[in-house]
Amino acid sequence: MGTLWAMPTSRRFTLREIAEHVGGAVLGEPQVAITGVSNPAGAGPGDLVFVEDESYLASLGSSRAAAAIIAEGIDLPPGMSGIRVRHPALAMARALEILFPPERTFREVSPQAFVGRGVVLGEDVGIGPGVYLGDGVRIGRGTEIHPGTTIGRGASIGQDCVFYSGVHIYQGVSIGNRVRLHSGCVIGADGFGFIQERVESFPEEPIRQHKVQQVGTVVIEDDVEIGANTTIDRAALEVTSIGKGTKIDNLVMIGHNVRIGRHVILVAQCGIAGSSVLEDYVTLGGQSGVVGHIRLGRGAMAAAQSGVTKSVPAGLTVWGMPAFDIRRARKALALLEHLPEYRKLLLELEERLDRLENGPGAGGST
Amino acid sequence: MGTLWAMPTSRRFTLREIAEHVGGAVLGEPQVAITGVSNPAGAGPGDLVFVEDESYLASLGSSRAAAAIIAEGIDLPPGMSGIRVRHPALAMARALEILFPPERTFREVSPQAFVGRGVVLGEDVGIGPGVYLGDGVRIGRGTEIHPGTTIGRGASIGQDCVFYSGVHIYQGVSIGNRVRLHSGCVIGADGFGFIQERVESFPEEPIRQHKVQQVGTVVIEDDVEIGANTTIDRAALEVTSIGKGTKIDNLVMIGHNVRIGRHVILVAQCGIAGSSVLEDYVTLGGQSGVVGHIRLGRGAMAAAQSGVTKSVPAGLTVWGMPAFDIRRARKALALLEHLPEYRKLLLELEERLDRLENGPGAGGST
Amino acid sequence: MGTLWAMPTSRRFTLREIAEHVGGAVLGEPQVAITGVSNPAGAGPGDLVFVEDESYLASLGSSRAAAAIIAEGIDLPPGMSGIRVRHPALAMARALEILFPPERTFREVSPQAFVGRGVVLGEDVGIGPGVYLGDGVRIGRGTEIHPGTTIGRGASIGQDCVFYSGVHIYQGVSIGNRVRLHSGCVIGADGFGFIQERVESFPEEPIRQHKVQQVGTVVIEDDVEIGANTTIDRAALEVTSIGKGTKIDNLVMIGHNVRIGRHVILVAQCGIAGSSVLEDYVTLGGQSGVVGHIRLGRGAMAAAQSGVTKSVPAGLTVWGMPAFDIRRARKALALLEHLPEYRKLLLELEERLDRLENGPGAGGST
């Protein structure tokens, strides 16, 4: 870790303090000083590492780590201190939160920001230089907005949000509390709505695309995180909505009128076409796509690169293009590689059958 | 509708005024006041709804809608007023245009914009704060540019365009009239052109990528709309072109030297590799891809997630990866799920054939 | 060329001067003036064209080009001058470099840029208006940063880089020399790291996603070029790294902890999930995807739209979803179109076999 790059300055804690924070039991020396985090192979003095299963134990033995977070049922190497917990990964996430507490960059409203008329800002809002806030924008207390982000007129932003640089929010969008938006994401651009219009007087171009005004909006609930360069379009008439706690990766596309439930996971570069519904706890893998006007039930999943062409019942995982039950898809798609052999065998069988049917012993059954 | 969120303030019209605008016939009371638009289930008083086919009639009966736009051959529920038209969706789009006329946000050149030397601005141009216009940029009358958008030197922009925030246009690009660019789209970045160069004196890295300067440009014709975070690269030597009336969704990638015709539809996350040609009225589905140096004929379509690896004749629709005639693809891809069963049957047939050939009655035909 | 649009002003050279620069031999008149570059069909007077193989010779005969760069073993049409070289495409790239030398737009630090405390700028750095440089940013000599780009605190940028408008670099990222970043690319946003956390007291939402602080960084080596709207996430603990000379197209997604070697080519819209390793000279085709935690060996390739689900040995090219050896994939995927025919034949064979087995002559072999 320390050998790779200069980590952000961390606070310094004793092993006991961290154990208390993560809800684990100290093994060994509670006064060990922890100043960083690493994996076993790269750890330096002062680093805390975590070991989820026995496969990491070997590297832990030769590690220079100060201490390890370790699952129940696993033993530490002799002489090493640690913290025993039920869920090492979760404990590690919690340890990171106190070792590297999120730092605010902007705590005031920059005089170089562009603030419209009637803007209402809560206490402790930080607005970077070059930010644009349209007329009537409302921002809750503790929210931080980095340089170059724009928020259209009448948009409403909750408390304790962080919007990084270059986020673009269109007019009237509504965003809850503790929402994190990464650079380049675009919330509330027009949905892709056009009606084909015949123009009979113009035979060269007999059909044109007539734009449908997108007069709906986007509503994003609390605790949502949205990745870099993801786009979420405003509804045609009503609302494109993202439920509480949902996490969205980079370069994802969410079409107009889509309704996404709570605690949904959307991995990078997936896309959801207009008016589809994803219930709570749905997961979409990277580069997967969902056609319009279908519904994915609670906890349904689509594996990476799936093309979901019809509704998926709650709890089912699908894969493939078109997508179907992943238990069958794993077997079916593994056969693709062998298609040429099966084709060859099929043609051989046909030939053998021809011979059998026409041969002396077989007798003509046709 | 009204129950879901506060719609943008709309104007107030009588049913007769809307009927005249959309070219339909009033059914019932022409003085009904219309102040919003909705679907039948969500409609409140004052809302206009539209009913394209009989499947919506049931919900219309219990709707609180003030009136309905309705297709020929369908009857309104007793007591409801409406407008009878040939194409309800198109009529609805037109009704939206007068109920929610597009609003200009910027009508002047902000003193906080960065305007280069020799910039020429038409009448009634609106430039938001933080916009950058390079030297020699020309912008036609009535065009509106939102905060944080940048336009490189020498670019030429037509009349009545709307560029939302965070659009980036490189030097020398040419854009027509009534073009709408959504946030984050990038027009005119370098095409991806590199030549492999052997560096024999350096055996560790024997080949390097030698950049080919991209000295061409991008030309976008009238009435084009381009979605959020879409990228259109400049040509190597000549022109990447987008024809009149073409509509492009979000996160689309158009490579260098691509030539796109008029009234083309490109759905979200599709990509077109260098030097390919899409003739008028082509449609690409979401997440589809087109390899370089091929041609899609007038009206050709590729369904979602297709991988188009060779030219497509005019009028043909393809699907699949690699893509082929969708009529065959629908049947073929539906069989993927059953491959394991077919494999099993094939091996069973082989075994049965073995037995037949070797069995007492069959006589050895091999 | 000249008929299509006004090319950027080029310098004027003699054929001899260009031949010296590209390392070729003049054929014909060394004093011919060259002022532009084109393809044979579009060439006007003063244009240099290039002919890689004999298929272009016909168009060259009727071209108005001033001269041609031509491969060994090909003859020029009578009366035309030219330059004979071993690698025409590479020679053309070099000719473009002197005919259209890259132009700097910004040579000074704009007073309208936002420069933080402790920023260190090398000589001849150009910073456009509206650029934001966070506290402690360091930028090497000769680097140019276009308007609207933001660089987070503590980031380090090398010499002679060009960052176009609307690039967003997060805190602490490290970038080498001669790196070109196109508009909208985002370097160093948080990796997509969440741990599922059971919340037993809340049965409606029993599981939540607990964010893992992403305290690592991104390191980009020398001579890398990154396309528009591409995103490269910061590592969870250590480093997401991009090796020297690697070229990345538009809308590419690189997940956290990914390690990419030297001279790698990543074509548009491809994606690489967390912790995977691409060794030197790997190529990923457009819209392909690589799952997390695998390794692609030196020189491995994945063709367009591939879904790479397991590690690929050095030198192997794969295709398909899931991906396998492209030599087998070309044959296998070409059979997809014929699946319905094979299914039909298979069922026919089964029927014929049934009849044979049950027929009078066959005797019951089961």
Side-chain angles (χ1 to χ4, degrees):
Chain A
M1 206 44 233
T3 59
L4 283 175
W5 76 294
M7 261 190 132
T9 324
S10 67
R11 300 186 184 176
R12 177 195 176 97
F13 289 89
T14 64
L15 193 60
R16 187 212 305 269
E17 288 167 324
I18 292 177
E20 279 165 10
H21 180 74
V22 307
V26 172
L27 307 175
E29 173 53 64
Q31 294 307 318
V32 169
I34 302 297
T35 57
V37 165
S38 183
N39 58 40
D47 276 350
L48 179 67
V49 302
F50 84 111
V51 175
E52 196 137 20
D53 58 55
E54 306 214 353
S55 66
Y56 288 91
L57 273 184
S59 56
L60 194 56
S62 58
S63 172
R64 297 189 298 157
I69 290 180
I70 197 156
E72 292 170 358
I74 305 184
D75 287 325
L76 281 172
M80 181 172 273
S81 295
I83 304 172
R84 187 179 301 289
V85 296
R86 208 157 147 195
H87 300 298
L90 184 57
M92 195 66 167
R94 285 189 173 139
L96 281 167
E97 285 159 16
I98 58 169
L99 283 161
F100 302 95
E103 290 172 39
R104 285 279 298 266
T105 305
F106 302 99
R107 295 199 153 274
E108 299 180 349
V109 179
S110 165
Q112 293 154 310
F114 312 114
V115 180
R117 286 163 301 171
V119 168
V120 178
L121 303 179
E123 281 175 46
D124 196 29
V125 161
I127 308 283
V131 168
Y132 168 81
L133 306 178
D135 295 347
V137 164
R138 304 171 71 90
I139 300 182
R141 63 184 296 167
T143 285
E144 180 180 20
I145 301 183
H146 287 241
T149 283
T150 67
I151 303 184
R153 62 187 144 78
S156 164
I157 315 297
Q159 301 178 4
D160 296 317
C161 296
V162 181
F163 296 177
Y164 289 94
S165 289
V167 167
H168 301 293
I169 297 173
Y170 279 54
Q171 76 281 1
V173 164
S174 172
I175 295 182
N177 301 312
R178 299 173 302 280
V179 170
R180 294 169 66 89
L181 303 183
H182 284 283
S183 287
C185 73
V186 177
I187 314 295
D190 283 357
F192 197 61
F194 300 92
I195 304 285
Q196 289 206 344
E197 178 177 17
R198 295 217 146 257
V199 187
E200 317 221 334
S201 58
F202 209 71
E204 267 288 294
E205 300 173 39
I207 297 171
R208 298 191 192 165
Q209 312 300 337
H210 193 109
K211 181 175 177 71
V212 181
Q213 304 272 3
Q214 304 289 301
V215 301
T217 192
V218 177
V219 172
I220 295 176
E221 295 181 3
D222 294 347
D223 300 307
V224 168
E225 179 155 355
I226 300 180
N229 288 344
T230 280
T231 67
I232 302 178
D233 280 355
R234 69 193 310 111
L237 296 179
E238 309 192 352
V239 170
T240 305
S241 60
I242 312 292
K244 180 184 161 195
T246 284
K247 310 298 183 188
I248 304 177
D249 202 347
N250 299 353
L251 292 166
V252 169
M253 161 60 184
I254 298 178
H256 57 176
N257 314 320
V258 166
R259 289 166 56 193
I260 293 184
R262 293 169 298 178
H263 308 296
V264 164
I265 295 280
L266 304 179
V267 180
Q269 296 177 314
C270 71
I272 305 169
S275 302
S276 280
V277 176
L278 274 61
E279 297 184 0
D280 298 349
Y281 295 108
V282 162
T283 298
L284 296 187
Q287 299 184 332
S288 62
V290 173
V291 301
H293 298 276
I294 65 173
R295 173 179 289 263
L296 278 65
R298 182 178 171 104
M301 302 179 69
Q305 291 195 335
S306 292
V308 185
T309 58
K310 55 190 183 198
S311 291
V312 179
L316 185 67
T317 298
V318 297
W319 189 36
M321 201 293 275
F324 51 96
D325 187 333
I326 196 171
R327 292 163 295 188
R328 308 186 64 194
R330 280 219 183 89
K331 290 176 192 154
L333 300 185
L335 296 180
L336 284 177
E337 185 165 1
H338 302 286
L339 280 183
E341 302 149 38
Y342 297 139
R343 174 182 167 278
K344 185 156 169 280
L345 177 56
L346 181 65
L347 298 181
E348 280 170 9
L349 293 191
E350 183 184 29
E351 207 175 303
R352 285 164 61 184
L353 204 46
D354 286 348
R355 261 177 291 174
L356 264 188
E357 287 171 345
N358 300 321
S365 71
T366 10
Chain B
M1 205 45 233
T3 58
L4 284 174
W5 76 293
M7 261 192 131
T9 323
S10 67
R11 298 189 184 174
R12 178 196 176 97
F13 289 88
T14 65
L15 193 60
R16 188 212 305 271
E17 287 167 326
I18 292 177
E20 278 164 11
H21 181 73
V22 306
V26 172
L27 307 174
E29 174 51 65
Q31 293 308 317
V32 170
I34 302 298
T35 56
V37 165
S38 183
N39 57 40
D47 276 350
L48 180 68
V49 302
F50 85 111
V51 175
E52 198 139 18
D53 57 55
E54 306 214 354
S55 66
Y56 288 92
L57 273 185
S59 56
L60 194 57
S62 58
S63 172
R64 297 189 298 155
I69 291 179
I70 197 156
E72 292 170 359
I74 304 185
D75 287 325
L76 282 172
M80 181 173 272
S81 295
I83 303 172
R84 187 179 298 291
V85 296
R86 211 159 144 193
H87 299 299
L90 184 56
M92 196 67 168
R94 285 189 174 140
L96 281 167
E97 284 160 17
I98 57 169
L99 283 162
F100 302 94
E103 290 170 39
R104 287 278 300 265
T105 305
F106 302 99
R107 295 201 153 272
E108 298 181 349
V109 179
S110 165
Q112 293 154 311
F114 312 113
V115 180
R117 285 163 302 173
V119 167
V120 178
L121 303 179
E123 281 175 45
D124 195 30
V125 161
I127 307 284
V131 168
Y132 168 81
L133 306 178
D135 295 348
V137 164
R138 305 171 70 91
I139 299 181
R141 62 183 298 168
T143 285
E144 180 179 18
I145 301 183
H146 287 240
T149 283
T150 66
I151 304 184
R153 63 185 143 77
S156 163
I157 315 297
Q159 301 177 5
D160 297 317
C161 295
V162 181
F163 296 177
Y164 289 94
S165 288
V167 168
H168 300 293
I169 297 173
Y170 279 53
Q171 75 281 3
V173 164
S174 171
I175 294 183
N177 301 311
R178 298 173 303 279
V179 170
R180 294 169 67 88
L181 303 184
H182 283 283
S183 288
C185 74
V186 177
I187 315 293
D190 284 358
F192 196 62
F194 300 91
I195 303 285
Q196 290 207 342
E197 179 178 16
R198 296 217 145 258
V199 186
E200 318 220 335
S201 56
F202 210 73
E204 267 287 294
E205 301 172 39
I207 297 171
R208 299 191 191 167
Q209 312 300 336
H210 193 108
K211 181 174 177 70
V212 181
Q213 304 272 1
Q214 304 288 301
V215 301
T217 190
V218 177
V219 171
I220 294 177
E221 294 181 4
D222 295 347
D223 300 307
V224 168
E225 180 155 355
I226 300 179
N229 286 345
T230 280
T231 68
I232 302 179
D233 279 357
R234 69 193 312 112
L237 296 178
E238 308 191 352
V239 170
T240 304
S241 61
I242 312 292
K244 180 184 160 195
T246 284
K247 310 299 183 189
I248 304 177
D249 203 347
N250 299 352
L251 291 166
V252 170
M253 161 60 184
I254 298 178
H256 58 175
N257 313 320
V258 166
R259 288 164 57 193
I260 292 184
R262 294 169 298 180
H263 309 295
V264 165
I265 296 281
L266 303 180
V267 180
Q269 296 178 314
C270 72
I272 306 169
S275 301
S276 279
V277 176
L278 274 61
E279 297 184 0
D280 298 348
Y281 296 108
V282 162
T283 298
L284 296 187
Q287 298 184 331
S288 62
V290 173
V291 301
H293 298 275
I294 66 172
R295 173 178 290 262
L296 277 65
R298 183 179 170 105
M301 301 178 70
Q305 290 195 334
S306 293
V308 185
T309 57
K310 55 190 182 196
S311 291
V312 178
L316 185 66
T317 299
V318 297
W319 190 36
M321 203 292 273
F324 52 95
D325 187 331
I326 195 172
R327 291 165 296 189
R328 307 185 67 193
R330 281 218 184 90
K331 289 175 194 156
L333 301 185
L335 297 180
L336 284 177
E337 185 166 0
H338 303 286
L339 281 183
E341 302 149 39
Y342 297 140
R343 173 181 169 279
K344 182 155 171 280
L345 177 56
L346 181 66
L347 298 181
E348 279 171 9
L349 294 191
E350 184 185 28
E351 205 175 304
R352 285 164 61 185
L353 206 45
D354 286 349
R355 263 177 288 171
L356 264 189
E357 286 170 348
N358 300 323
S365 71
T366 13
Chain C
M1 205 44 230
T3 59
L4 284 175
W5 75 294
M7 261 190 129
T9 324
S10 67
R11 299 188 184 174
R12 178 196 176 97
F13 289 89
T14 65
L15 193 60
R16 189 213 304 270
E17 288 167 326
I18 291 176
E20 279 166 8
H21 181 74
V22 306
V26 173
L27 307 175
E29 173 52 65
Q31 293 308 315
V32 169
I34 301 298
T35 57
V37 165
S38 184
N39 58 39
D47 276 351
L48 180 68
V49 301
F50 84 110
V51 175
E52 197 137 18
D53 57 57
E54 306 214 353
S55 66
Y56 287 90
L57 271 184
S59 58
L60 193 57
S62 58
S63 172
R64 295 190 300 157
I69 291 179
I70 198 157
E72 292 170 0
I74 304 184
D75 287 325
L76 282 171
M80 182 172 271
S81 295
I83 303 172
R84 188 180 298 291
V85 297
R86 210 159 145 193
H87 299 300
L90 185 56
M92 196 65 167
R94 286 188 172 139
L96 281 167
E97 284 160 17
I98 58 169
L99 283 161
F100 302 94
E103 289 171 39
R104 286 278 299 266
T105 303
F106 302 98
R107 294 201 154 274
E108 299 180 349
V109 180
S110 165
Q112 293 154 310
F114 313 114
V115 180
R117 286 162 301 172
V119 167
V120 178
L121 303 179
E123 282 175 45
D124 196 29
V125 161
I127 308 284
V131 168
Y132 169 81
L133 306 179
D135 294 348
V137 165
R138 305 172 69 91
I139 300 182
R141 63 184 296 167
T143 285
E144 180 180 19
I145 301 183
H146 287 240
T149 283
T150 66
I151 303 184
R153 63 188 143 77
S156 162
I157 315 296
Q159 300 177 6
D160 297 317
C161 295
V162 181
F163 296 176
Y164 289 94
S165 289
V167 168
H168 300 294
I169 298 173
Y170 279 54
Q171 76 279 5
V173 164
S174 171
I175 295 183
N177 301 312
R178 298 174 303 280
V179 170
R180 293 168 66 88
L181 303 183
H182 284 282
S183 288
C185 72
V186 177
I187 315 294
D190 283 357
F192 197 62
F194 301 91
I195 303 285
Q196 290 206 343
E197 178 178 16
R198 295 218 146 256
V199 186
E200 318 221 334
S201 57
F202 209 71
E204 268 288 293
E205 302 172 38
I207 297 172
R208 300 192 191 164
Q209 312 300 336
H210 193 108
K211 181 174 176 72
V212 181
Q213 305 272 3
Q214 304 289 300
V215 301
T217 192
V218 178
V219 172
I220 295 176
E221 295 182 2
D222 295 346
D223 300 307
V224 168
E225 180 156 353
I226 299 180
N229 288 343
T230 281
T231 67
I232 303 178
D233 279 356
R234 69 191 312 110
L237 296 179
E238 308 191 351
V239 170
T240 305
S241 61
I242 313 291
K244 179 184 161 195
T246 284
K247 310 299 182 187
I248 304 177
D249 203 345
N250 299 352
L251 292 165
V252 169
M253 162 61 184
I254 298 177
H256 57 176
N257 312 321
V258 166
R259 288 166 56 194
I260 293 183
R262 293 169 298 179
H263 309 295
V264 164
I265 296 281
L266 304 179
V267 180
Q269 297 176 315
C270 71
I272 306 169
S275 301
S276 280
V277 176
L278 275 60
E279 297 184 359
D280 299 348
Y281 296 109
V282 162
T283 298
L284 297 187
Q287 299 183 332
S288 61
V290 172
V291 301
H293 297 276
I294 66 172
R295 173 178 288 263
L296 278 65
R298 184 177 169 105
M301 301 178 68
Q305 291 194 335
S306 293
V308 185
T309 57
K310 53 190 183 195
S311 291
V312 179
L316 185 66
T317 298
V318 296
W319 190 36
M321 200 293 274
F324 51 95
D325 187 332
I326 196 171
R327 291 164 296 188
R328 307 186 65 195
R330 280 219 183 88
K331 288 175 194 155
L333 300 185
L335 295 180
L336 284 177
E337 186 166 359
H338 302 285
L339 280 184
E341 302 149 39
Y342 298 140
R343 173 182 169 278
K344 184 157 169 278
L345 177 56
L346 181 65
L347 298 182
E348 279 170 9
L349 294 190
E350 183 185 28
E351 204 175 307
R352 285 164 61 184
L353 205 45
D354 286 349
R355 261 176 290 173
L356 264 188
E357 287 171 347
N358 300 321
S365 70
T366 12

